[in-house]
Structure formats: C-alpha cells, structure tokens
Amino acid sequence: MSQVKNNPEQEQSIEKTITRRTFLSFATLGVGAVGSYLGWRWLHGQSEVDGALAPLRTMLETNSSVNQSVVFSETHTAPEYPRSSAATEPRTNGDVGLDSDVDIAEWKLNVKHPTAMTPLSATLDDIKALPKTDIVFEFKCVEGWSEIQYWSGVRLIDFFHHYNLQQNYHYVGMTTPDEEYYIGLDMASALHPQTILAYESNGTTISSEQGYPLRLVIPVKYGIKNLKRIGTIAISNERPPDYWAEQGYDYYAGL
Ligand SMILES: Nc1nc2c(c(=O)[nH]1)N[C@H]1C(S)=C(S)[C@@H](COP(=O)(O)O)O[C@H]1N2
Ligand SMILES: [Mo]
C-alpha cells in the first residue's frame, strides 16, 4: 500500500490556492448579494402600475400579450358538458356592484359605441327576443375552485349582429349599473361563440347574487371576467379599466 504524501512546499501552494478560491467564491457571493440588494432597492423604488411595480407590470403585460397572440386562438373553445353534470345551485362568489336590488321596470342594458351619438339601450324583453343559446362548461375562479355550470342567454356576437354594432374595435368594456365592478375584454374574446349575455341558470331566471337580470358568461376567461349584473357595455379602441387588473391580476385572464 502506498500513501501519497505531498511535500511541505506543495502543501503550502495547495493551501494558497484554496484560500484564493475561497476568497473568490465569497467575493462573488458578496458582489451577487450587493447586486441583488441594489436590484431589489431599484425595483421597490419604482412606481406602481395597476397594482404591480412598473417593471413587473411590464413583464406581466409582455407575458400576457404573448399569451394573447400565441396561446389564444379564435377557434379554441372551452370543453362543454352534458346538462346532467351541472351543479344544481351554481356557487356564488363576489358581490361587488350588487348592493342594491334591481327594479326591472327601470333596468336597461346601455351600449356605448364610439360612432353612435346616443347610447343604444335594450330591455330584458328585447334581449330575450333574440336567439337563445345554452352552455354547460367548467367555470374557473382564480381562487382555485371550479364548477360545471349551465347558463342560457344570447351570444354577444348575435347581439352585435342584431344591433349592427361594429366589430372592428379593439375592446369591449362592461360595468355594473353602479359602476363598482368593471371589466375589459379584447374584442376576439368578447365575440367568441361561447361568450353569452346570460339571463338563466339551470333553465330558471338568475338570482340577484348571480347577477340578475343579465350577466356575462365567458368560458374562455377566468371567473373574474364573468361580470354579474351588466349595466353598460362600451365598445372602444382604448383599453377599458378592469377591477381585478387594477389589483395586479393579468388583464386578459384567459384560460
Ligand atoms: N358584479 C360582480 N361580478 C363579478 C364579481 C363581483 O364581485 N361583482 N366577482 C367575479 C368573480 S371573482 C367570480 S369567481 C364570479 C363568480 O360568479 P358566481 O357568483 O356566479 O359564482 O363572478 C365574477 N363577477
Ligand atoms: Mo373569482
């Protein structure tokens, strides 16, 4: 058995190398830490845009536009299910803008269009007179729950056709009658064949908590975009304000 033994000189030089390497490692770590700290300080010194620090918001917007242009496809549809698999009592969640009761004699759906002088308005009966569409799909909330639900109403695209609303704008905004809850949608998602203005769930009139008399059902988006109790629909080229995007959530909230 032979043992390799370094002579003292060799040992010294090995030790020096180790010391130098250790120093370099710590120096690198130190520079990294200072860099991270400075980066963190810089980031936190930035102003907030829609609930996120500006650089992070920019990143989020980049991701969301990539998502919009690459992932979203007009031919993509959310899976549909048989009516028998729908929840008997759809779960209710979120009640912003639903404080006061609606007097149906007073309620109208207002539609604002950039080129129209006066906003168009439709009563619930006007809306019910249009072709009726059913949908059974899996409703998904960003808070982590989902549920198969059955809704009926008028496709937003059918509503657009009936009232001769122009489709060559970028956005559709919707607000509750009291303007407490509001959402913005890209036109392609708004006019998607599964997007409906719903007035029934499980074949009966929707309840106040579900958004009586009219709510949005948009299966290609998360729950946050399914605005309950629509007061106004506004067509525009400017991105409409959005309640949850202002709290830092992704503007498009697509699935
Ligand atoms: N007017 C209004 N619409 C709203 C909300 C709200 O707070 N107010 N919450 C949203 C959220 S976060 C979800 S998950 C769905 C819930 O719809 P539901 O109560 O029918 O389940 O409504 C969306 N639409
Ligand atoms: Mo939600």
Side-chain angles (χ1 to χ4, degrees), residues 27-38:
T28 312
L29 210 71
V31 169
V34 170
S36 307
Y37 172 69
L38 291 177

Side-chain angles (χ1 to χ4, degrees), residues 59-76:
M59 210 153 83
L60 190 61
E61 294 292 317
T62 310
N63 287 345
S64 93
S65 60
V66 166
N67 211 39
Q68 234 1 64
S69 53
V70 181
V71 184
F72 181 83
S73 134
E74 275 155 68
T75 54
H76 165 86

Side-chain angles (χ1 to χ4, degrees), residues 90-98 139-143 145 147 149 151 176 181 209-210 215 222-229 243-244:
R91 174 171 174 169
T92 58
N93 193 48
D95 57 3
V96 181
L98 306 178
F139 181 96
K140 291 176 179 154
C141 171
V142 287
E143 289 179 302
W145 57 272
E147 188 176 72
Q149 300 179 345
W151 299 93
T176 52
Y181 196 87
E209 311 87 78
Q210 287 169 340
R215 69 171 283 163
Y222 275 104
I224 48 178
K225 295 288 188 183
N226 292 243
L227 181 135
K228 298 187 278 187
R229 193 179 293 166
Y243 187 90
W244 286 108

Side-chain angles (χ1 to χ4, degrees), residues 128-186:
K128 283 184 171 174
L130 301 179
K132 190 174 175 184
T133 302
D134 292 328
I135 188 152
V136 183
F137 76 105
E138 189 178 4
F139 181 96
K140 291 176 179 154
C141 171
V142 287
E143 289 179 302
W145 57 272
S146 71
E147 188 176 72
I148 295 178
Q149 300 179 345
Y150 162 30
W151 299 93
S152 322
V154 177
R155 279 194 182 123
L156 192 55
I157 180 83
D158 292 343
F159 183 85
F160 263 64
H161 284 149
H162 182 82
Y163 288 99
N164 258 324
L165 300 169
Q166 266 171 271
Q167 300 173 19
N168 57 340
Y169 283 85
H170 296 313
Y171 299 102
V172 175
M174 294 192 187
T175 60
T176 52
D178 65 4
E179 301 186 348
E180 293 286 324
Y181 196 87
Y182 39 92
I183 57 140
L185 302 168
D186 51 286

